[in-house]
């Protein structure tokens, strides 16, 4: 098969790799129908995630069809159309038993495209298939479903739920890329009074408006003053960091009110300064986190009911074999206007395979 293989910082290629096979009785082999590129993949290519070894197929989000399962897999079978989660929980370790799947210590967690070969390929081996893949209803197409593999659960769990968004809150989202936009969409489920989006790119701020941000601010023009003006000087109840650079994190800590929450979602490759000389007295809660994907079944039901604006985030589509071009478009989002890039062919009709 072919896959997008990482060869070291700044080096990757769409090339021939060995077909995956079952290695454990809990594995499934999935033929990939649709896949997307994550900001984390760009961090890997920059060298920000040193655990990724050269020779690894990248990617941790996909939709596809089960072609083979191990003898211990009970919930899916060949022919099923599934969403592949970015997190693979073992289901047995201490953290999995507390639904903290992202912290799995039983050989799972975030492993696809990180510690083992990932989804940006024609086929992928998915460990712990009973918990790592989700059967898809026919009403959810590939383009919508693939956004539920990572960005919507991440924005919802690590941003909105960790930030404890409540009715009547003022919420500021710093970074209006895909994760930030998904945070805006899912924060609205909790009826905040207002949402402010902060970014440097005018097209992304316009996208934030369309998804429900009542106000937008250019990151270079003192957005903390706008928040102060909107809140009579109090600050935002919840600030969600969705960039992953020191400047954006420090901006978030200046925008939050005393007693408020800063929910960090961005992947940081450099240290950020925590200004405790200002924050120690303010009763501020700062949270970090890797997504657990415990919310994926709920989000799938909402997508099937038309309650999530997933397709609004997809700006570009490519066939799988144009992976390198898709990466180039996504990496130059400021020039191309890319939000989410989806690769893969049209959705196939899945014919159920009769039980043996």
């Amino acid at each position: 098969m072919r896959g997008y293989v990482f060869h070291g910082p700044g080096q990757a290629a769409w090339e021939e790799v060995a077909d995956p096979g079952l290695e454990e009785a809990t594995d499934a082999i999935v033929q990939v129908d649709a896949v997307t590129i994550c900001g984390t993949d760009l961090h890997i290519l920059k060298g920000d995630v040193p655990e990724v070894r050269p020779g690894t197929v990248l990617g941790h989000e996909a939709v596809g069809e089960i072609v083979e399962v191990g003898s211990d897999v009970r919930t899916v079978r060949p022919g099923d159309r599934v969403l592949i989660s970015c997190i693979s929980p073992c289901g047995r370790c201490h953290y999995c038993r507390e639904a903290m799947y992202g912290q799995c210590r039983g050989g799972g967690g975030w492993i696809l495209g990180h510690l083992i070969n990932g989804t940006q390929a024609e086929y992928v081996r998915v460990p712990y298939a009973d918990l790592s893949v989700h059967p898809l209803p026919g009403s959810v197409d590939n383009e919508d479903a693939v956004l539920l593999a990572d960005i919507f659960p991440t924005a919802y769990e690590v941003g909105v739920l960790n930030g404890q968004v409540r009715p009547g809150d003022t919420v500021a989202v710093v970074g209006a890329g895909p994760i930030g936009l998904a945070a805006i969409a899912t924060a609205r489920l909790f009826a905040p009074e207002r949402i402010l989006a902060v970014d440097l790119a005018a097209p992304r701020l316009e996208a934030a408006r369309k998804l429900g941000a009542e106000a937008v601010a250019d990151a270079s023009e003192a957005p903390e003053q706008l928040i102060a003006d909107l809140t009579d000087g109090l600050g935002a109840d919840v600030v969600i960091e969705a960039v992953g650079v020191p400047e954006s994190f420090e901006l978030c800590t200046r925008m939050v009110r005393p007693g408020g929450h800063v929910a960090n979602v961005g992947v940081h490759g450099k240290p950020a300064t925590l200004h405790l000389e200002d924050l120690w007295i303010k009763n501020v809660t700062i949270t970090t986190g890797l997504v657990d994907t415990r919310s994926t079944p709920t989000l799938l039901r909402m997508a099937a009911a038309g309650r999530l604006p997933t397709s609004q985030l997809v700006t570009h589509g490519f066939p799988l074999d144009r992976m390198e071009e898709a990466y180039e478009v996504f990496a130059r989002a400021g020039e191309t206007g890319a939000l989410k890039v989806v690769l893969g062919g049209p959705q196939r009709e899945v014919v159920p395979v009769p039980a043996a």
Side-chain angles (χ1 to χ4, degrees):
M1 70 169 189
R2 298 182 75 84
Y4 193 64
V5 182
F6 173 70
H7 291 295
Q11 303 176 58
W14 178 255
E15 61 189 42
E16 287 191 3
V17 292
D19 291 342
L22 297 174
E23 297 181 15
E24 302 290 343
T26 52
D27 289 349
I29 306 298
V30 179
Q31 181 177 356
V32 173
D33 286 335
V35 68
T36 186
I37 302 170
C38 180
T40 304
D41 297 321
L42 299 183
H43 280 281
I44 292 170
L45 285 174
K46 290 177 183 177
D48 290 343
V49 189
E51 298 87 3
V52 181
R53 295 173 296 180
T56 301
V57 175
L58 297 182
H60 50 267
E61 310 157 85
V63 170
E65 181 181 320
I66 300 283
V67 295
E68 188 178 4
V69 297
S71 58
D72 285 350
V73 176
R74 297 289 181 265
T75 60
V76 290
R77 61 181 184 175
D80 285 349
R81 178 172 164 260
V82 296
L83 168 69
I84 301 173
S85 175
C86 65
I87 299 295
S88 305
C90 79
R92 298 185 297 270
C93 72
H94 171 82
Y95 288 115
C96 284
R97 291 170 70 89
E98 294 184 347
M100 295 176 62
Y101 306 131
Q103 304 301 322
C104 176
R105 292 297 182 267
W110 173 37
I111 54 175
L112 289 171
H114 180 206
L115 305 179
I116 66 172
N117 285 336
T119 58
Q120 289 170 4
E122 294 171 326
Y123 294 87
V124 59
R125 177 180 74 91
V126 183
Y128 309 114
D130 280 331
L131 292 171
S132 301
V133 301
H134 301 269
L136 286 172
S139 60
V140 181
D141 67 23
N142 291 344
E143 192 173 87
D144 290 323
V146 75
L147 300 193
L148 302 178
D150 183 354
I151 69 163
F152 269 86
T154 295
Y156 181 59
E157 295 176 17
V158 186
V160 175
L161 296 184
N162 278 4
Q164 298 185 25
V165 175
R166 296 175 299 180
D169 276 354
T170 292
V171 178
V173 178
V174 177
I179 290 287
L181 294 174
I184 290 168
T186 51
R188 292 187 69 200
L189 301 173
F190 292 85
E193 180 182 359
R194 62 174 69 87
I195 300 174
L196 169 72
V198 179
D199 203 281
L200 288 168
R204 291 190 167 193
L205 293 176
E206 181 58 30
R209 283 192 186 277
K210 291 178 179 178
L211 284 168
E214 287 80 8
V216 298
D218 188 305
S220 65
E221 298 179 356
E224 57 265 47
Q225 184 59 52
L226 177 57
I227 279 288
D229 293 343
L230 291 172
T231 60
D232 294 325
L234 293 178
D237 299 281
V238 180
V239 187
I240 297 173
E241 198 285 336
V243 182
V245 298
E247 296 80 6
S248 61
F249 176 79
E250 293 169 31
L251 172 62
C252 290
T253 63
R254 295 195 301 271
M255 296 173 72
V256 69
R257 69 167 176 83
H261 290 76
V262 174
N264 183 87
V265 186
V267 178
H268 289 263
K270 297 179 180 179
T273 301
L274 182 62
H275 288 282
L276 286 176
E277 74 278 10
D278 297 323
L279 295 171
W280 73 270
I281 201 170
K282 293 185 177 179
N283 295 22
V284 170
T285 299
I286 298 174
T287 57
T288 65
L290 175 66
V291 65
D292 295 311
T293 65
R294 64 184 184 275
S295 67
T296 302
T298 299
L299 294 173
L300 268 174
R301 291 195 300 272
M302 295 182 67
R307 298 291 302 278
L308 291 178
T310 47
S311 60
Q312 293 184 41
L313 274 66
V314 178
T315 54
H316 295 74
F318 298 88
L320 274 177
D321 60 6
R322 289 170 62 188
M323 186 71 69
E324 292 173 345
E325 180 182 353
Y327 259 89
E328 181 70 16
V329 168
F330 187 62
R332 295 188 298 107
E335 303 168 38
T336 63
L339 292 175
K340 286 301 283 184
V341 171
V342 174
L343 300 98
Q347 179 175 321
R348 299 197 305 270
E349 181 181 0
V350 178
V351 179
V353 178

